[in-house]
Amino acid sequence: MNFKEAQTFIIASILAIISFSCSLNYSKEAQNFEKKPNFVFKNAILDQYEENSLNLRINFMELEIYDSDRIWAGKNLRFFKIDKKSFEKGNPEAELKGRAGIIKIDEKNNQYFLGQKVFFEDLKEGLMISGDAFFWNKNENLLYGVEDGSVKVKRGDELYISGSGFIANTLSKEFEFLNSIEGKIQTKNEENENEENSNQNSESQEP
């Protein structure tokens, strides 16, 4: 994977979705919230379609729907973003999958909040991202962690980064950390050196 130079993203405001509490116990503030959902589903499956193609499938242990606010809230979920070409061929395969302890979906504004041990895996790129909580603005193609929350990014043996202030463009697949980070990035030169050393070791072992 070729990583382009990260661009600086500026977020003007916190997503309105984080201020919306529901009966699932997401935070201390939620304990005082009296609004009840219109529908509650157990072991539910949510399918989202775009242009008559299955785009996203989410499996919930519990799903609440607040119909008038167009807010959906779920817990203990797994999600799969479907590759469009594979769906058209009649053999749908996931290009992105993940899991989270909780999710809030602002359907009206295409804004999402995921919390409690969140994990994403881009199957095409072999890239894994994990953290305690993330916000996703689908309209702006922005995925970012909470300001002081730790986020880990891993790709095989060549990339491992941990830090805070994570922000990514889900369309271009560029990302950056705005705060301090630590980890390891293996460059192409290091890969070539490792290959050369491996070849030399193999040759030296030949009779």
Side-chain angles (χ1 to χ4, degrees):
M1 174 182 178
N2 293 322
F3 292 96
K4 301 177 182 177
E5 182 179 358
Q7 298 177 349
T8 302
F9 298 98
I10 300 175
I11 299 178
S13 60
I14 300 300
L15 299 180
I17 193 171
I18 65 174
S19 64
F20 187 97
S21 300
C22 50
S23 63
L24 293 179
N25 188 20
Y26 297 111
S27 63
K28 293 181 180 179
E29 290 78 10
Q31 297 175 3
N32 299 321
F33 187 65
E34 298 180 354
K35 192 167 188 176
K36 301 298 180 183
N38 300 93
F39 303 96
V40 178
F41 298 94
K42 306 289 185 178
N43 299 316
I45 298 176
L46 170 65
D47 285 345
Q48 182 189 57
Y49 286 81
E50 289 185 0
E51 298 178 354
N52 297 320
S53 295
L54 179 62
N55 179 60
L56 183 67
R57 170 165 288 177
I58 308 177
N59 299 328
F60 300 90
M61 189 178 82
E62 183 174 327
L63 174 64
E64 298 177 350
I65 299 178
Y66 297 79
D67 204 28
S68 59
D69 299 292
R70 296 180 65 184
I71 296 291
W72 300 44
K75 66 179 183 179
N76 294 342
L77 64 138
R78 294 181 179 271
F79 50 91
F80 309 87
K81 189 177 186 306
I82 307 301
D83 177 68
K84 187 175 181 180
K85 291 182 179 180
S86 68
F87 182 83
E88 292 173 348
K89 293 178 180 179
N91 185 29
E93 296 178 354
E95 63 179 11
L96 175 72
K97 67 178 182 179
R99 61 180 181 268
I102 57 173
I103 189 172
K104 297 180 186 178
I105 303 175
D106 181 345
E107 187 183 19
K108 181 179 179 181
N109 297 305
N110 271 332
Q111 295 175 345
Y112 298 70
F113 169 75
L114 301 98
Q116 295 183 1
K117 296 182 178 179
V118 185
F119 173 82
F120 301 94
E121 183 177 4
D122 187 323
L123 299 175
K124 287 186 175 181
E125 302 291 348
L127 188 68
M128 293 178 284
I129 302 172
S130 59
D132 291 330
F134 291 89
F135 302 99
W136 179 30
N137 186 325
K138 189 177 179 182
N139 292 334
E140 300 295 331
N141 299 305
L142 286 178
L143 174 72
Y144 54 98
V146 293
E147 183 177 359
D148 298 323
S150 177
V151 173
K152 297 174 182 174
V153 179
K154 186 177 185 295
R155 185 178 188 269
D157 296 327
E158 65 190 59
L159 172 69
Y160 177 80
I161 302 175
S162 177
S164 60
F166 173 83
I167 186 165
N169 185 310
T170 58
L171 189 62
S172 66
K173 298 184 180 179
E174 298 173 349
F175 67 88
E176 68 172 326
F177 289 85
L178 301 180
N179 301 328
S180 60
I181 64 171
E182 62 180 8
K184 171 188 175 183
I185 299 177
Q186 183 172 321
T187 64
K188 289 184 178 181
N189 289 335
E190 290 176 333
E191 290 178 1
N192 293 334
E193 289 176 2
N194 291 337
E195 289 179 2
E196 290 176 1
N197 292 334
S198 177
N199 292 335
Q200 290 174 359
N201 291 335
S202 298
E203 292 174 356
S204 64
Q205 294 174 3
E206 291 180 358

